[in-house]
């Protein structure tokens, strides 16, 4: 069953076409990789999926609802969360508060409940704290909850960004180069975490990644873009053997895996 689908999607900036007539789908329960050389349009596709850009042509559907005219907050409420290639944490806020704030997208307190600090306000706050601590424990950051986010080591910052995304209760999690800047040990731990999110939380995942060991090691299916177009898709083994893929991107990298 299709969870998310791009149908003949195009995005142009003036005379530049960043994405051209793209058809892409993520099925419910999948862990899928999206790869391609720099400038292929991968992050642009994520920006289309999450409402940062509106397509110039075609449409985007999530659970049969069109996303094309929705704002990022509306897309998030529907169940699509993401992380970014360049980490975007609230650096001067605590680790715990970074996860707490993500939950407020679902709260409907109103002015008077907030001003008067009613009993229901405090009960709701207690649940927000409880859920944030559960998520931090789940990703292995419980001991860091009081630290300011910018003081965390790089690998933990990546985990925190994923924890914050999980706090929005996603059905689909979009990970933009989650392994970027990590050492080999951190990458192994990241792969385990992504697989655990997929397996235990039942979250469908689409990830952009340049590290082929990560992609080929955890993804069920791999899609390949080049110059804003889809040039191949299939299992990791099929993609590795595809001549167009080897020419466009993989060649030497895959031989080194």
């Amino acid at each position: 069953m299709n969870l998310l689908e791009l149908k003949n999607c195009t995005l142009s900036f003036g005379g530049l076409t960043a994405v051209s007539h793209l058809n892409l789908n993520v099925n419910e329960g999948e862990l899928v990789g999206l790869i391609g050389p720099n400038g292929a349009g991968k992050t642009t596709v994520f920006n289309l999926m999450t409402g940062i850009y509106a397509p110039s042509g075609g449409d985007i559907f999530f659970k049969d609802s069109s996303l094309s005219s929705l704002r990022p907050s509306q897309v998030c409420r529907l169940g699509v969360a993401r992380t970014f290639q360049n980490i975007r944490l609230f650096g001067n806020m605590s680790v715990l508060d970074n996860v707490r704030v993500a939950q407020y997208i679902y709260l409907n307190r109103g002015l008077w409940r907030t001003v008067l600090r009613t009993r229901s306000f405090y009960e709701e706050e207690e649940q927000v704290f409880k859920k944030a601590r559960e998520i931090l424990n789940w990703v292995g950051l419980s001991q860091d909850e009081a630290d300011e986010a910018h003081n965390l080591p790089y690998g933990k910052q990546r985990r925190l960004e994923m924890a914050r995304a999980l706090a929005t209760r996603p059905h689909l999690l979009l990970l933009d180069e989650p392994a970027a800047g990590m050492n080999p040990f951190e990458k192994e731990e990241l792969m385990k975490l992504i697989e655990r999110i997929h397996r235990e939380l039942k979250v469908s995942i689409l990830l952009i990644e340049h590290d082929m060991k990560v992609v080929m090691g955890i993804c069920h299916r791999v899609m390949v873009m080049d110059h804003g177009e889809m040039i191949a898709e299939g299992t990791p083994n099929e993609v590795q053997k595809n001549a167009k893929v080897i020419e466009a991107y993989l060649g030497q990298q895959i031989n080194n895996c």
Side-chain angles (χ1 to χ4, degrees):
M1 174 182 174
N2 278 348
L3 184 63
L4 180 137
E5 185 175 14
L6 274 66
K7 290 186 175 181
N8 204 31
C9 216
T10 296
L11 179 65
S12 299
F13 300 100
L16 173 66
T17 300
V19 175
S20 179
H21 303 287
L22 186 69
N23 292 293
L24 176 158
N25 74 288
V26 178
N27 296 317
E28 194 164 352
E30 276 196 304
L31 201 174
V32 190
L34 179 61
I35 65 173
N38 288 329
K42 305 180 298 297
T43 295
T44 301
V45 168
F46 270 23
N47 289 337
L48 283 166
M49 292 175 178
T50 53
I52 294 175
Y53 298 146
S56 309
D59 211 338
I60 305 167
F61 295 92
F62 180 72
K63 293 185 175 181
D64 297 324
S65 297
S66 175
L67 303 182
S68 296
S69 61
L70 299 185
R71 299 187 301 273
S73 60
Q74 294 173 312
V75 174
C76 186
R77 285 192 187 96
L78 284 177
V80 181
R82 72 173 295 181
T83 64
F84 292 86
Q85 182 176 349
N86 298 314
I87 296 174
R88 298 187 184 182
L89 296 171
F90 300 109
N92 292 324
M93 290 171 56
S94 72
V95 168
L96 180 64
D97 285 344
N98 265 270
V99 181
R100 281 179 59 218
V101 73
Q103 298 179 65
Y104 290 129
I105 194 170
Y106 291 107
L107 303 185
N108 294 302
R109 290 174 168 168
L111 176 62
W112 290 113
R113 285 183 65 196
T114 303
V115 171
L116 297 175
R117 294 293 199 268
T118 62
R119 178 178 178 181
S120 60
F121 174 91
Y122 285 110
E123 288 174 347
E124 198 171 50
E125 273 295 296
E126 185 178 346
Q127 289 303 311
V128 167
F129 271 99
K130 180 180 178 181
K131 186 62 179 178
R133 288 192 168 105
E134 285 177 0
I135 294 171
L136 288 176
N137 181 61
W138 203 87
V139 301
L141 292 176
S142 290
Q143 69 279 12
D144 305 294
E145 71 167 51
D147 295 341
E148 291 187 354
H150 67 88
N151 288 328
L152 291 180
Y154 184 82
K156 286 190 174 183
Q157 288 190 26
R158 285 284 182 192
R159 282 179 175 258
L160 178 56
E161 193 174 38
M162 292 171 69
R164 189 176 61 184
L166 290 175
T168 67
R169 312 174 200 168
H171 299 287
L172 175 64
L173 180 60
L174 308 177
L175 303 175
D176 194 349
E177 296 197 35
M182 288 187 172
N183 61 44
F185 174 78
E186 289 171 333
K187 288 178 183 179
E188 289 292 332
E189 292 300 304
L190 174 73
M191 290 169 68
K192 292 176 185 177
L193 177 59
I194 292 173
E195 289 185 305
R196 189 169 165 235
I197 290 170
H198 176 257
R199 181 180 65 253
E200 297 183 16
L201 300 184
K202 310 298 182 186
V203 176
S204 302
I205 297 173
L206 174 61
L207 67 90
I208 294 170
E209 186 52 65
H210 281 296
D211 191 303
M212 292 299 103
K213 287 185 178 178
V214 173
V215 174
M216 302 304 175
I218 65 175
C219 292
H220 307 155
R221 180 165 62 95
V222 180
M223 299 178 287
V224 189
M225 289 184 66
D226 191 26
H227 295 100
E229 300 179 351
M230 192 70 67
I231 62 170
E233 68 173 291
T235 66
N237 285 337
E238 289 169 343
V239 165
Q240 291 181 52
K241 298 173 184 176
N242 187 292
K244 288 184 179 180
V245 176
I246 293 171
E247 180 182 356
Y249 184 48
L250 293 179
Q252 184 63 42
Q253 287 93 329
I254 203 67
N255 291 333
N256 288 338
C257 286

